[in-house]
Amino acid sequence: MDISHDDLEFFLGLWETRSITQTARDLNLTLPTASRRMARLREIFGDPCFVRSHQGLIPTDFTIESIGEIIQLYRKLHDLTHRKTFEPSELNRVIRIAIPDNAIPFLLPNVVKSITDQAPHCSIAFLHSSPASFEDLQKGYIDFLINPKILVPRGNHFMPLHAFDQIILVRKKHPLVEMYKQKGTIDADDLKHFDRILVNDSYAATQNNDIYLSNYDRYFMIDNVQRTRIVVPYFIGAQYFLESTDLTLSLPKETALKIAERNPYLTTLPSPLAKSGAIVPCLFWHERTHHDPAMQWIRAQFKAFAQTEEGAREEQSDNF
């Protein structure tokens, strides 16, 4: 039988007053209710707990031996049930988040605004994500990681934020642009004549066997359809190699469109191997912070201001 906070409070009242009448009065209980609680305590502990005498209630040997543990248990339950409500305005710490650079303009502005508005004493430090980020998450060097959904290492939780399509970014006078205008499409055979830029910070270490590659990148690397000429760790910085070359760059759709909108020399093309929603960026966190009220609040800001409808659908599908 489970024991409750009220059971323990009644037990300690009997210990202090040695009177069921006084304990009932102190706890605003009727005598019939107090008698039922006394019977419940005896059933829970399998012991009379207190016996009646002309001097009042006398604790049994069990009660005398157990009172220290019962007091400690009562205090723990009291702390849990009366824990102070988390207040963002009182949060005073640095939240460290490892991210790819293209997550900043697309996913984070509204999250950052909400956190800084509600938690004025909280600071946010963004670090570049890398293959070591999951280890950093485990060790506590970072609090969160934004990364494409892969096999989730044990001890981690994740929340899908979005589901990206993949498109190609090139200079406006690239030969592929004219091909697309003439045919209304481009295919893998068209692409194989042009080298590419690969955005991948773990390529040098893992070569062809890289779990971070998109379907598009994996296809062209493994089958050597399109040669990789430049490898960079930054989505936003990679664009500058495109302005005066015939290189191509495969990017998440929203990132490519945002770059093309701001860079007058570049434009986008559909990817011939694009798979809808192939890239699913997620917010990852470690089990050690899963129940931390501050971290729960931070995650709620991501859910409210960074998770799109596509991300919510991914989360629902993961839960089935």
Side-chain angles (χ1 to χ4, degrees), residues 201-225:
D201 54 12
S202 59
Y203 168 68
T206 59
Q207 295 296 324
N208 294 349
N209 185 23
D210 195 317
I211 59 176
Y212 292 98
L213 297 183
S214 68
N215 290 342
Y216 175 92
D217 292 327
R218 191 181 297 278
Y219 178 88
F220 287 116
M221 177 166 286
I222 293 174
D223 292 345
N224 294 318
V225 173

Side-chain angles (χ1 to χ4, degrees), residues 10 14 19-31 34:
F10 185 74
L14 296 176
S19 167
I20 190 170
T21 303
Q22 184 61 47
T23 299
R25 186 180 299 118
D26 291 344
L27 298 178
N28 294 317
L29 302 175
T30 65
L31 280 176

Side-chain angles (χ1 to χ4, degrees), residues 9 15 36 49 75 121 147 169 177 182 220 255 259 294 312:
E9 186 176 48
W15 173 264
R36 287 194 294 272
C49 298
R75 287 174 177 170
H121 304 295
N147 200 69
L169 192 67
V177 176
Q182 293 177 3
F220 287 116
T255 301
I259 290 174

